[in-house]
Amino acid sequence: MLTQLRLDHANMARILHVLQLKQKTLDQGERPNFQLVREVVDYILDYMDGFTMPLERVCAEQLRGVAPHSVEITEQLANDYRQLQTRLKRLSNDIDMILMDAVIPMDRFSEDLKAYLDSHRAYLRDERELLFPLIREHFDDAALDELADALPEGATAKLERLQEAYPELYAELREAPEPPV
């Protein structure tokens, strides 16, 4: 389970890297492929709803029973994640407007995108540094199996469907270099 979570983090880092490349294109005064940006944002929103939020809920519930001191950490991570989702939905709305040729200040959009990327990376770091050690310390293999069974379909299957659902994003991910984690 922890191996899967680490793999999910690596995959999300690559996806965020693709978004960062598009944000840098904007900073250079060029127009990125907003359809690809749309695919990335849609994918992350789908992933949040379908995997990360259920994982967070199940993990927090199980940790609460074996490590009551974890409540503060899991609540903070849940709050941070809700804020990430709010930022991403705002970006999604802006992308809709851009794709409909509405006038959106590109410098503001670029700043919002950069702030989202920084926040999402900070969240991933906090998960690695705060949540993963709690899971490692308090869950044995049987508990990890229970946790995995309580989750919806895993991220590996989602990434397999990525090729079909988000073809431009999948192609870009295959070409993107491994970002530093």
Side-chain angles (χ1 to χ4, degrees):
M1 179 68 175
L2 277 173
T3 301
Q4 180 64 47
L5 290 172
R6 286 187 184 98
L7 178 62
D8 293 343
H9 270 225
N11 289 330
M12 185 57 71
R14 290 179 74 190
I15 290 168
L16 294 176
H17 182 69
V18 169
L19 267 183
Q20 181 181 19
L21 294 174
K22 302 310 169 198
Q23 188 271 328
K24 286 181 177 181
T25 299
L26 271 172
D27 269 356
Q28 295 168 353
E30 298 175 31
R31 187 175 173 93
N33 177 345
F34 279 107
Q35 190 58 46
L36 177 63
V37 175
R38 156 62 50 225
E39 285 190 8
V40 173
V41 169
D42 286 349
Y43 175 78
I44 295 172
L45 285 169
D46 288 347
Y47 187 84
M48 285 176 152
D49 289 340
F51 183 74
T52 307
M53 293 182 87
L55 171 64
E56 210 172 76
R57 218 176 3 262
V58 169
C59 192
E61 288 170 10
Q62 291 193 11
L63 271 173
R64 194 174 296 125
V66 295
H69 65 283
S70 69
V71 170
E72 184 178 332
I73 292 169
T74 57
E75 284 179 358
Q76 182 59 52
L77 286 170
N79 183 48
D80 292 348
Y81 209 72
R82 282 189 297 275
Q83 289 177 16
L84 274 179
Q85 192 174 36
T86 299
R87 281 183 176 198
L88 193 57
K89 285 180 179 178
R90 191 173 336 122
L91 285 169
S92 178
N93 290 335
D94 286 350
I95 294 166
D96 287 343
M97 298 303 290
I98 291 167
L99 290 172
M100 291 187 293
D101 293 326
V103 177
I104 299 286
M106 286 299 129
D107 57 339
R108 181 186 57 85
F109 180 79
S110 180
E111 290 170 11
D112 290 349
L113 181 55
K114 183 175 182 339
Y116 164 76
L117 290 166
D118 292 344
S119 296
H120 202 137
R121 286 189 177 108
Y123 176 83
L124 292 175
R125 183 189 63 243
D126 288 346
E127 262 194 339
R128 274 192 318 270
E129 294 175 1
L130 302 173
L131 183 62
F132 289 6
L134 285 171
I135 292 171
R136 198 172 28 256
E137 179 182 347
H138 296 287
F139 291 170
D140 59 15
D141 288 340
L144 288 173
D145 288 343
E146 278 182 41
L147 182 64
D149 290 343
L151 293 175
E153 189 176 335
T156 302
K158 287 189 175 299
L159 286 173
E160 289 170 5
R161 288 195 314 269
L162 178 63
Q163 183 174 7
E164 294 171 18
Y166 304 102
E168 286 187 54
L169 172 57
Y170 184 79
E172 185 107 3
L173 281 175
R174 290 181 53 89
E175 296 170 15
E178 283 289 326
V181 179

